[in-house]
Amino acid sequence: MEIGQEAPDFEAESSKGNVKLSSYRGKKVILYFYPKSFTPGCTREMERFSEIYDQIKENNAEVIGVSVDSISTQKKFAEKYGNKFPVVSDKEKRICEVYGVLNEKGTSAQRITFIIDEKGKIIEILKKLKKAEEHADKALEIIKTKR
């Protein structure tokens, strides 16, 4: 995927029921992929997105997390850390494949964040940041500045 491309639509089960990306048109979407629930980096990343979630909402945006974990794992992960946004189970790896985020072995997602505008176009891609939780802060900065 590249900046300027339309974000591929998907529908999947999440910790908060079914999620369909195109249903968020009219809002920006922070779509972040992470390797594995309950690992230190992924936990810090989700917690940081939750901490700044109200600011994200104030900027007409939504957050969706995606990993290849099962839906039961995603629900437990979200519940344990009081998550405020949906985390999607991509057990079949269809979403990860379409977005090109699977790791070299094809076993899990890489830590990559897509910022999608109100019309469904990718306006920024974040990867290889030093700390997992930086994805949340950088994403917030982007949605605040790109109008």
Side-chain angles (χ1 to χ4, degrees):
M1 298 276 56
E2 293 176 25
I3 292 170
Q5 281 187 296
E6 184 149 332
D9 196 15
F10 63 84
E11 188 167 353
E13 197 172 356
S14 85
S15 57
K16 298 201 179 285
N18 259 25
V19 167
K20 185 171 174 63
L21 182 63
S22 59
S23 71
Y24 292 96
R25 290 281 158 84
K27 290 183 174 196
K28 290 186 178 107
V29 176
I30 299 167
L31 178 64
Y32 82 97
F33 292 86
Y34 60 97
K36 191 162 179 46
S37 296
F38 294 106
T39 56
C42 296
T43 299
R44 284 194 316 273
E45 183 178 28
M46 187 178 75
E47 287 177 319
R48 186 63 187 144
F49 271 117
S50 284
E51 285 168 13
I52 64 172
Y53 184 68
D54 290 340
Q55 291 175 65
I56 290 168
K57 296 283 283 182
E58 286 165 13
N59 283 276
N60 192 36
E62 188 53 72
V63 178
I64 303 169
V66 181
S67 80
V68 301
D69 294 305
S70 70
I71 190 59
S72 63
T73 298
Q74 295 297 55
K75 285 179 178 176
K76 286 176 197 158
F77 187 45
E79 193 176 306
K80 179 171 182 176
Y81 295 103
N83 197 23
K84 298 178 179 179
F85 54 86
V87 283
V88 168
S89 169
D90 186 26
K91 193 115 180 90
E92 313 296 311
K93 301 176 185 154
R94 287 190 198 109
I95 304 166
C96 290
E97 281 177 9
V98 170
Y99 278 84
V101 300
L102 282 174
N103 65 9
E104 288 175 11
K105 295 178 188 166
T107 54
S108 67
Q110 299 174 69
R111 189 176 319 283
I112 298 177
T113 301
F114 295 86
I115 316 296
I116 302 164
D117 73 8
E118 296 86 347
K119 294 178 182 149
K121 295 253 187 272
I122 296 168
I123 56 172
E124 195 65 63
I125 302 170
L126 305 174
K127 50 184 160 183
K128 294 188 172 47
L129 299 180
K130 284 190 173 111
K131 293 181 178 172
E133 57 271 30
E134 285 180 44
H135 281 255
D137 295 314
K138 282 269 193 220
L140 178 59
E141 190 180 302
I142 290 161
I143 62 166
K144 281 181 167 180
T145 57
K146 294 205 176 188
R147 302 256 172 224

